[in-house]
């Protein structure tokens, strides 16, 4: 049933599965079935690249949005999750720092945990994933000093980076585990020290979330890093991290921190200095992602009307720019830009972004 290699069609980011997700959201059952058949024509991948955005886990996510549960696909995903957890535990036992791909949303255990949380039935492995993510909140002692448990020896793209880095984004950094732990708590899924881990990651972002990632020099500096206006996107940037902290505040029952996160979203996305850094309509780092984030924040806000003008402005910007995208895909193309225009998340597709 499974194949060790990764068919190109089983790519949620820019392959057939992303297109199928749009068909499902539109209620176009015939097109969705046709596209899904294309995606699984060469088997279902459970290889080394299997993740929320590739292979069996990506397929299960789309099927769940269509209200379909296939036991064989779930079993394949469970094997992927179990293998990743085993590898992570071995790495921890060795004392080696993690690569971001071990824990992040796009490639790692945070994304797989998001999928398990999205299942209609309780997934036993979900708590194991949460226990692993909680463990990242505990400092790791290296030969020189104590480091954050999610610190990576290599850069955000796997490149050599002197002293390593601490990634802060939702897609590849600690904001992703923060969001998943918070959403799990909201759904009544709890493991030991979960609230404490949420607080650790949340307070780290208070200081370091102003940057995409934290360098070794910044970590050694006597004071906090200086905020520099950057693209305030979902994947990296103030909009995505603010939503993660918003979810944390809700999970911890902290109304003052919830208001602070909401204020940051509004202040950032009404400031031309920040907005001018958004250059396209994509879901990953453009208008589509921002619109989806703001809708989710508004849905959870006791003062949702504050966001109405912002939502209207982002919708206008997205509608004006989405057809200019040269690619078709979900995360960086027209498919993803179309999703928040046509619907406000009827199928729960935005769970892919860990904002709901």
């Amino acid at each position: 049933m499974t194949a060790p290699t990764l068919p190109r069609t089983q790519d949620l980011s820019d392959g057939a599965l992303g297109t199928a997700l749009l068909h499902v959201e539109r209620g176009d059952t015939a097109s969705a079935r046709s596209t899904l058949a294309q995606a699984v024509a060469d088997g279902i991948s459970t290889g080394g690249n299997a993740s929320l955005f590739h292979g069996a886990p990506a397929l299960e996510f789309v099927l769940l949005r269509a209200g379909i549960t296939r036991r064989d696909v779930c079993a394949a995903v469970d094997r992927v999750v179990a293998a990743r957890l085993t590898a992570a535990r071995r790495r921890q036992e060795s004392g080696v720092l993690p690569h971001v791909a071990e824990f992040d949303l796009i490639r790692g255990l945070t994304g797989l945990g998001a999928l398990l949380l999205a299942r209609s039935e309780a997934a036993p492995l979900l708590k194991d994933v949460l226990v692993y993510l909680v463990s990242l909140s505990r400092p790791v002692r290296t030969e020189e000093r104590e480091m954050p448990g999610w610190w990576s020896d290599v850069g955000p793209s796997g490149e050599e980076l002197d002293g390593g880095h601490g990634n802060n984004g939702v897609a590849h950094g600690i904001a992703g585990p923060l969001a998943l732990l918070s959403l799990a708590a909201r759904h009544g899924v709890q493991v030991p020290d979960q609230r404490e881990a949420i607080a650790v990651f949340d307070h780290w972002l208070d200081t370091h979330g102003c940057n995409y990632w934290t360098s070794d020099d910044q970590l050694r500096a006597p004071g906090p890093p200086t905020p520099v206006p950057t693209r305030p996107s979902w994947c990296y940037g103030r909009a995505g991290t603010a939503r993660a902290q918003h979810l944390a505040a809700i999970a911890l029952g902290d109304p003052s921190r919830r208001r602070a996160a909401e204020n940051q979203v509004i202040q950032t996305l009404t400031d031309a200095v920040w907005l001018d850094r958004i250059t396209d309509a994509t879901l990953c780092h453009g208008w589509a992602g921002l619109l989806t984030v703001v809708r989710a924040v508004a849905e959870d806000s006791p003062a949702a009307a504050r966001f109405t003008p912002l939502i209207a402005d982002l919708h206008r910007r997205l509608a004006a720019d989405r057809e200019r995208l040269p690619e078709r895909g979900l995360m960086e193309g027209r498919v993803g830009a179309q999703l928040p225009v046509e619907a406000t998340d009827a199928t729960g597709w935005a769970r892919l972004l860990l904002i709901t």
Side-chain angles (χ1 to χ4, degrees):
M1 191 280 293
T2 61
T5 57
L6 180 65
R8 290 178 60 85
T9 52
Q10 276 175 38
D11 187 312
L12 191 49
S13 180
D14 58 12
L17 286 180
T19 302
L21 187 63
L22 178 59
H23 292 321
V24 170
E25 181 70 20
R26 286 172 166 171
D28 186 349
T29 304
S31 295
R33 285 177 177 170
S34 175
T35 308
L36 285 169
Q38 174 192 353
V40 300
D42 296 323
I44 300 171
S45 172
T46 56
N49 287 334
S51 66
L52 179 59
F53 283 81
H54 293 282
L59 174 62
E60 183 183 356
F61 182 84
V62 177
L63 290 174
L64 287 173
R65 297 311 99 217
I68 299 169
T69 298
R70 272 185 51 173
R71 297 297 178 187
D72 58 340
V73 177
C74 291
V77 169
D78 286 347
R79 289 194 293 274
V80 170
V81 176
R84 296 293 178 81
L85 284 168
T86 297
R89 289 167 185 148
R90 287 174 179 165
R91 190 272 308 162
Q92 288 177 319
E93 289 169 1
S94 73
V96 175
L97 292 171
H99 190 291
V100 292
E102 178 182 288
F103 64 80
D104 74 5
L105 172 63
I106 301 298
R107 297 165 292 179
L109 280 160
T110 294
L112 293 171
L115 172 59
L116 297 179
L117 183 62
R119 287 181 178 175
S120 57
E121 298 180 3
L125 283 171
L126 174 57
K127 286 195 172 183
D128 292 332
V129 173
L130 298 181
V131 167
Y132 159 76
L133 294 177
V134 166
S135 74
L136 296 179
S137 69
R138 303 181 188 114
V140 174
R141 187 75 194 178
T142 66
E143 292 182 1
E144 294 184 358
R145 59 195 168 124
E146 203 171 69
M147 307 293 287
W150 64 94
W151 196 265
S152 179
D153 279 332
V154 297
S157 301
E159 73 276 19
E160 291 293 329
L161 187 65
D162 187 30
H165 84 300
N167 203 294
N168 301 322
V170 175
H172 295 295
I174 203 58
L178 173 62
L180 179 59
L181 289 169
S182 301
L183 286 166
R186 194 173 186 181
H187 285 82
V189 185
Q190 301 272 2
V191 297
D193 298 326
Q194 185 169 338
R195 289 176 62 88
E196 290 79 4
I198 289 171
V200 168
F201 299 149
D202 192 22
H203 288 294
W204 169 273
L205 290 175
D206 283 346
T207 301
H208 297 279
C210 58
N211 294 322
Y212 289 171
W213 54 80
T214 303
S215 69
D216 186 56
D217 287 343
Q218 288 171 326
L219 191 64
R220 292 176 183 270
T226 302
V228 177
T230 51
R231 185 174 60 194
S233 54
W234 162 77
C235 58
Y236 279 110
R238 286 174 56 143
T241 55
R243 174 54 174 169
Q245 293 193 277
H246 193 232
L247 290 169
I250 294 170
L252 297 177
D254 191 328
S256 63
R257 291 186 68 83
R258 182 175 67 179
R259 284 193 298 272
E262 292 177 8
N263 290 341
Q264 178 161 297
V265 170
I266 292 174
Q267 291 164 5
T268 300
L269 299 183
T270 54
D271 186 332
V273 173
W274 293 87
L275 279 181
D276 286 349
R277 283 157 173 77
I278 301 294
T279 58
D280 62 46
T282 62
L283 196 59
C284 184
H285 45 253
W287 302 121
L290 293 179
L291 176 58
T292 307
V293 167
V294 174
R295 281 174 172 166
V297 173
E299 182 71 20
D300 285 332
S301 173
R306 298 174 65 204
F307 296 91
T308 302
L310 182 53
I311 290 172
D313 179 61
L314 291 172
H315 194 285
R316 177 184 60 78
R317 292 174 186 269
L318 173 58
D321 286 355
R322 72 180 190 276
E323 294 302 326
R324 301 175 190 172
L325 292 171
E327 305 295 330
R328 174 170 172 76
L330 177 71
M331 296 306 291
E332 297 190 26
R334 296 186 300 278
V335 167
Q338 194 66 22
L339 272 167
V341 170
E342 296 203 1
T344 58
D345 195 19
T347 64
W349 67 264
R351 289 187 174 194
L352 189 72
L353 306 179
L354 263 188
I355 57 175
T356 62

